[in-house]
Every structure is written in C-alpha cells, then in structure tokens.
Amino acid sequence: MALLFRSRVWKSGVFGGGVARSMSTAWWRHVEPAPKDPILGVTEAFLADSSPNKVNVGVGAYRDDNGKPVVLECVREAERRIAGNLNMEYLPMGGSIKMVEETLKLAYGENSDLIKDRRIAAVQALSGTGACRLFADFQKRFSPDSQVYIPVPTWANHHNIWRDANVPQRTFHYYHPDSRGLDFASMIDDIKNAPNGSFFLLHACAHNPTGVDPSEEQWKEISYQFKVKGHYALFDMAYQGFASGDPERDAKSIRIFLEDGHLIGCAQSYAKNMGLYGQRVGCLSVVCEDEKQAVAVKSQLQQLARPMYSNPPVHGALIVSIILGDPDLKNLWLKEVKGMADRIIGMRTALRENLEKLGSPLSWEHITKQIGMFCYSGMTPEQVDRLTNEFHIYLTRNGRISMAGVTTGNVGYLANAIHEVTKSG
Ligand code: LMR
C-alpha cells in the first residue's frame, strides 16, 4: 500500500503524465456525502432558518428561560481561579487524577469501599461519547466475540459507537409506545433470553430519548436478573442530577447494582450537569475484582486512548476538579443543577397544561411522567415534519422534545403547534 502510494505520487509529480495525473486526483471520488446526523443535523437546520419564530427543541442542551445557553456560576468561579494559573502541559494518558477521583465519588458514593480498595479502573474520557467509545473498544479487544444489547429506542449515537468499534449489536425491549412508559415485562424477558454473560448498555437515569426510567423496585429486579444470567452492565450516565435535581438520587440504579456485587462499567459526562458541553469532559470507569486487575485494566484503557488522542484536554477537567474539590463550590453546583432540573420540570407542567387548555383530545400525561431532559412525545415523523415546515419548530424526527429548550416565552407557541399537528390523529 505504501509502495503503491509512493509510486503514484512520484509518477504524477515527475512525469505529469495523463493517466498518472488522473489517477492521482481520483483518491476520494467514491466518497458520498454522509447522511445528516439525526440530532446534530437538527441544529444545523435550525441555524439555517431565518424565521423570527423558530424554536430549537432538538439537541439536548440546557437553555435558560430566555432561551440562552447557560454558564453555571460555579464554572465561572472555577474559571476565575484558573485564569493565569494554568500551564498547558499534557495530562497523563488517563487524564486528570483529581477529576477522575471526584467523578468516581459522584457515581459510586463518597464512602465507596470500591474506591477505598482501589478496585475501579478509571480514566478521563472525551465526555460521555468518548467514554462509551473507549468501553466499546475495550470490549472488542478483550471480549472479541461478545455483542452488546442496546435498548429500543436509545440515543442514536450509541449505535454508531458500537458499530465503529465492530461490536455486533442486539436490542432489548424498553419503551412501550401505547403506555408511553417502560415495557418492563418484555425487557425482563429479553434479559432472561439473552445468552448468559451478555453485555448490556443501560441508561443510569433520564433515559435518552424517552425520559422513561425504571422505578427503584424495577431496578432491583433488573439487577437480580443480571445476577442470575451473569450479564454485564455498562451504565451510560449522561444526566446525573438532571432527572431528579439530586445527583445522589440519580445514581440509585448504579448503587443497586453495586449492592448486588455487580462488576459494572460506567460512562460519565459533565456536558449536561455542569453545562460543559464543548469541553468534552467525562470519565470511563470499570469495576474490577481487585486492585491488581484495576491497574491492568486502566493501563489497557490508556493504551486504547494513546493512538486516538494520546491524552485528554486539560481545561474542562480542571474546572471539574476545582468545583468538586471545594465544598462551597460543590454546594453551589448542586444548587445550580437542581435549578436546571426544576426549570425543566416546570416546563413539563406548563406544556401539558397548555395542551390540555387547547382542548387536545389526546392524553399528555406522559409529558409530566417522563423525566430528565427529554419528552418522548409520541408524535410521528410526519407530524414532526409539519412542526418544522409550518411552525419552524426543530426537533428530532422520533418526536423527542428537548424540554431544556422550552421556555415561558415559547411554551404557548409550541403547545399550539403540537395541537395543530396532532388534533386530527
Ligand atoms: C442529545 O441527545 O441531544 C445530546 O446527547 C447531544 C448529542 O450529542 O447527541
């Protein structure tokens, strides 16, 4: 391959011959444009729309009640402390040790024995996506014949991540379109019917896109069935704090699995709960049998990271370390997360009330029953297209509404448009 490449360049460069020249320009002629990303493509379309009425409830990114992006006060303070004091040295391959330490406490608990016993292999990752991808690559390398069970539906990018890691995908039932809630019975059946020792991807809280989470009792049953079958659980926890407003409560699913002695994996992200979207800061952790194993696993995770990006970026990790390492700033953060979650919960009530006031013949109870950043509205792709084309309202075609983009200013307009496109069924 290298030889072929050299000879093509050499031929066109030295002789400039017709055949050789045309060959040298043909490298990428077979490349077709990639399909638009189902989530990030919505933002592109929104930005290209010049309507003054346009509303973006596509991407899951928090907005204040004026529709503006938010930088948390705790983040501003951390930045003030960083200013001028930061050198630009590389982080270790595994990222910021302090950030990882603090991040593990959030997922596993302040007084976790697993942390004390150093049984968790953990590295900084490029937000939740990077953490999932690192895990998928790790899975492929060390369990090469395994597959992964993914809920239906799930965040669209999960499919891309395991596809590009060459891990075959299976699905399991999760959402029930009629009840707009959890299809618990089918989910348990799928868990039971999967071959023993299968890998499962679970959303720790605030399931994306449905906003439907198992209850505590249901998590206990899921954990029990995983135990019986010897399955592996990787938790994607992109919304810790966003579901209930309390990061401890949102970690309940994980804690239940830990109480049952599962060796879980966990992908964490600070995109949403600290508003550090573009900083790409997160963490992948893998619970091991003992410290020796954790050291080995961490070294392998680092080795996977090295040829991709060598070491993760420093700025976001520093912000997180400063906030979580200072009790006052941490308290401020907890208040601010709760503030964001509460605003979203308030918008759920407002959207539902507006639809009911308009006399919608449909039930909108699920808007307030679902939890986290998203409402899985039940609208069809055609209804979504009408919302976009007639009302300049942008959302993903699966009917997911990012409640974080709903404000007191646009909730009436949104409700009216939803009513218009759904009233005839
Ligand atoms: C979303 O689901 O909208 C977010 O997680 C953003 C993303 O990267 O897709």
Side-chain angles (χ1 to χ4, degrees), residues 37 39-40 58-61 129 155-157 208 238-239 272 280 373-374 396 400 402:
D37 185 85
I39 298 172
L40 303 182
V59 71
T129 307
W155 179 46
N157 208 24
N208 179 2
Y239 296 92
K272 326 282 177 174
R280 314 311 293 147
M373 227 178 205
F374 303 110
T396 53
R400 186 190 80 167
S402 172

Side-chain angles (χ1 to χ4, degrees), residues 52-208:
N53 298 327
K54 66 181 179 176
V55 174
N56 189 3
V57 285
V59 71
Y62 184 77
R63 300 286 176 256
D64 66 14
D65 203 38
N66 297 313
K68 295 274 177 291
V70 172
V71 179
L72 298 185
E73 202 35 60
C74 59
V75 171
R76 292 235 187 260
E77 175 54 26
E79 297 241 79
R80 279 192 280 275
R81 294 186 193 177
I82 292 168
N85 294 317
L86 173 67
N87 65 43
M88 303 286 167
E89 291 299 294
Y90 293 126
L91 283 174
M93 276 186 285
S96 156
I97 291 165
K98 173 78 177 155
M99 190 282 288
V100 168
E101 248 174 47
E102 294 296 341
T103 304
L104 292 183
K105 286 189 214 160
L106 282 183
Y108 295 88
E110 194 82 28
N111 300 312
S112 157
D113 285 338
L114 292 171
I115 297 179
K116 278 189 210 126
D117 297 343
R118 300 176 173 280
R119 280 180 53 198
I120 309 177
V123 295
Q124 182 180 333
L126 305 188
S127 209
T129 307
C132 285
R133 180 60 196 268
L134 212 46
F135 183 86
D137 284 341
F138 180 74
Q139 181 187 345
K140 184 67 192 176
R141 185 164 290 180
F142 294 99
S143 185
D145 299 325
S146 65
Q147 47 195 11
V148 64
Y149 281 80
I150 291 184
V152 179
T154 194
W155 179 46
N157 208 24
H158 282 145
H159 293 294
N160 304 334
I161 289 169
W162 270 270
R163 178 201 64 210
D164 281 7
N166 293 311
V167 177
Q169 296 174 39
R170 293 294 172 97
T171 55
F172 66 92
H173 284 90
Y174 188 83
Y175 176 76
H176 200 293
D178 294 340
S179 70
R180 308 236 156 102
L182 187 68
D183 190 351
F184 186 61
S186 307
M187 180 180 178
I188 292 290
D189 279 349
D190 289 345
I191 291 168
K192 286 182 178 166
N193 292 332
N196 289 350
S198 294
F199 284 82
F200 277 72
L201 168 71
L202 301 172
H203 297 227
C205 62
H207 181 271
N208 179 2

